Amino acid sequence: PKTDIVFLKVHKSASSTVMNVLFRFGETHNLTFAFPIGGGNQLFYPQHFLARFVQGFSPTSPQRFNILCHHMRFLQPEVQKVVPHSAVYFSILRNPVQLMESSFAYYKGTSAFSHAHSLEEFLSHPYHYYNPMDRDSHYARNLMTFDFGFNPDGEVSAERVQLMLKAIEASFDLLLISEYFDESMVLLKEMLCWDLDSVVSFPLNIRDSSTKSPLSDTIVEKIKDWNRLDWEIYTHFNRTFWERIDRDIGRERMRREVKVLRERQAELARICLQGMSSVAPKDIKDSSLRPLQHGNAKILGYNLKQGLDKETELMCRRLVTPELQYSSALYKKQF
């Protein structure tokens, strides 16, 4: 199994669920995490990542960390100072249309979104609300482009897009697609030589459907135009994702693997969860399992079954512990 890993955690792209997979693997295999100085959940985002943001990093005695997975704005030369050269790099992408809709609800308090009553209103005069100079403007446009370290307001020329795609391909071994989460986990398992239980997960940091709104075709096109760089990244890597499946695994085997993964997830839901699915924040009985509530979104969580034996309870708790609580428990353990 590979144990040196860089995960670029892209916002609003099922990345909290992936992070839980990495936290669990790291904890059970006693790996070291590259934590932000003083704990916390972001490596001084939205600044470009620097090695000195990592607690315990020192340029004179470069200790290498196994897993780097907290929110950062990617800058590979700095990342390389923190992890071994053999580290596997991967990230996850999401359709920019759904990404934007999700960001608008989740980051409603940011300068670009706070005065627009609806996403539709924002998109009808984006520059009325959006100022690229605002410190939090990146949440409102080409958020994936920004997280990968590029300029979200850069021109969209064919040449520039090509350079961006080539740079991402040169840095990353695998790009997952959140719309095909289970297929992504199978690919990840193959690449890291992990077993099935290491990549099984329950969806974390998801919001209830009350704040989700269906989007008209007009709005979808406006979102694609406004996030053209993200759209180019997504469509390119969505294509190479399937090419990779065809080349390395084949559709038939992929279907079988996904089926096994889903059966195992359902089995764990029966073992671990009360009611077998997620619940509204107000219905989460154990406050230590309540996810951070943010913006206009209601973030769902889970209740564990009562009366589980110790070992099962620990396994189940790891699966449903929200990112911030899990991160701070691991930080305390490591430091």
Side-chain angles (χ1 to χ4, degrees), residues 21-33 67 330:
V21 166
L22 296 174
F23 279 169
R24 281 169 16 225
F25 188 86
E27 183 178 23
T28 49
H29 293 78
N30 266 331
L31 304 178
T32 56
F33 289 89
I67 299 180
L330 291 172

Side-chain angles (χ1 to χ4, degrees), residues 47-80:
Q47 293 180 58
H48 272 105
F49 175 81
L50 295 174
R52 60 182 169 81
F53 295 163
V54 172
Q55 176 130 5
F57 172 79
S58 134
T60 48
S61 59
Q63 182 208 345
R64 302 290 182 180
F65 297 84
N66 299 117
I67 299 180
L68 175 61
C69 63
H70 287 72
H71 272 308
M72 63 170 158
R73 189 169 182 209
F74 190 65
L75 188 59
Q76 190 163 16
E78 289 291 317
V79 169
Q80 286 169 332

Side-chain angles (χ1 to χ4, degrees), residues 141-305:
R141 185 177 202 190
N142 288 316
L143 181 50
M144 295 191 289
T145 303
F146 183 87
D147 285 352
F148 275 93
F150 305 106
N151 174 9
D153 294 291
E155 55 152 354
V156 189
S157 64
E159 189 186 5
R160 190 161 174 275
V161 166
Q162 276 313 306
L163 285 171
M164 205 168 64
L165 296 175
K166 287 225 164 26
I168 295 173
E169 277 175 341
S171 301
F172 288 85
D173 300 292
L174 176 64
L175 287 157
L176 309 176
I177 302 289
S178 64
E179 283 77 14
Y180 304 105
F181 192 80
D182 294 338
E183 289 84 353
S184 292
M185 289 300 103
V186 171
L187 276 185
L188 186 65
K189 169 175 84 76
E190 294 285 303
M191 183 180 72
L192 297 175
C193 307
W194 288 6
D195 63 3
L196 177 74
D197 269 14
S198 297
V199 299
V200 173
S201 60
F202 297 139
L204 294 175
N205 206 31
I206 50 167
R207 61 191 172 121
D208 75 339
S209 47
S210 70
T211 53
K212 294 181 186 171
S213 41
L215 303 170
S216 70
D217 293 351
T218 323
I219 288 200
V220 166
E221 288 313 312
K222 281 182 175 172
I223 293 177
K224 285 185 199 170
D225 277 344
W226 178 245
N227 298 283
R228 180 55 61 186
L229 293 171
D230 271 12
W231 183 251
E232 296 288 347
I233 290 176
Y234 177 78
T235 48
H236 175 82
F237 287 108
N238 187 16
R239 195 183 71 246
T240 58
F241 177 84
W242 290 101
E243 286 169 0
R244 182 171 184 145
I245 288 174
D246 289 336
R247 187 188 72 221
D248 296 352
I249 293 185
R251 301 281 170 118
E252 192 40 55
R253 189 178 139 219
M254 178 54 89
R255 271 192 287 274
R256 291 198 303 272
E257 295 260 359
V258 165
K259 184 169 176 277
V260 173
L261 182 72
R262 287 176 183 162
E263 282 165 359
R264 180 62 179 143
Q265 186 185 13
E267 184 185 358
L268 286 169
R270 281 192 297 275
I271 294 169
C272 296
L273 304 180
Q274 261 180 37
M276 276 191 65
S277 65
S278 52
V279 296
K282 62 174 178 29
D283 299 322
I284 300 169
K285 299 186 183 78
D286 179 344
S287 62
S288 72
L289 296 179
R290 194 172 295 140
L292 172 77
Q293 300 300 312
H294 200 82
N296 284 352
K298 277 199 187 74
I299 307 298
L300 307 175
Y302 298 92
N303 285 317
L304 290 180
K305 274 191 177 157

